[in-house]
Amino acid sequence: MRLLDTVRYLAYDPGITPSGGGLPGLAVLKNVVNSINLFAIIAVVGALAVSLGVWAWGHHSGGHQAEANGKKGTVVAAGAALGLGAANGVVAFFSALGSQVH
């Protein structure tokens, strides 16, 4: 019966928590993710500039389809910038929220 209680307890609380420094290469992985985020933000800046240019060109030339595509691209680029900037905070928020679940 004691073994069954131990297994039941482990099923509810395995006692695993995230900790830094457990595996080698954590600093390298953080640098890689930071670099990917930087490149993505630079790409979003370029996409936003192109989308705004297409929007302006479509508006001034009477190209309604180009204007609509420029607007869509602008909204998508702004959303991507928001997501990239908030990624760390969103993950930290939900990680903290998830650690409260018992």
Side-chain angles (χ1 to χ4, degrees):
M1 189 66 168
R2 183 78 176 129
L3 178 63
L4 185 58
D5 290 336
T6 303
V7 170
R8 190 173 294 145
Y9 175 74
L10 286 177
Y12 293 117
D13 183 16
I16 298 172
T17 57
S19 72
L23 292 174
L26 185 61
V28 173
L29 183 60
K30 285 181 182 179
N31 284 335
V32 168
V33 172
N34 287 338
S35 297
I36 290 171
N37 197 4
L38 174 66
F39 280 117
I41 289 173
I42 291 170
V44 166
V45 169
L48 183 61
V50 169
S51 295
L52 289 171
V54 169
W55 185 0
W57 174 73
H59 177 74
H60 290 293
S61 67
H64 300 294
Q65 186 69 28
E67 184 180 1
N69 287 337
K71 287 178 185 179
K72 284 189 280 188
T74 300
V75 170
V76 168
L82 178 67
L84 288 168
N88 195 30
V90 168
V91 170
F93 172 76
F94 282 108
S95 177
L97 190 64
S99 67
Q100 296 175 6
V101 175
H102 295 288

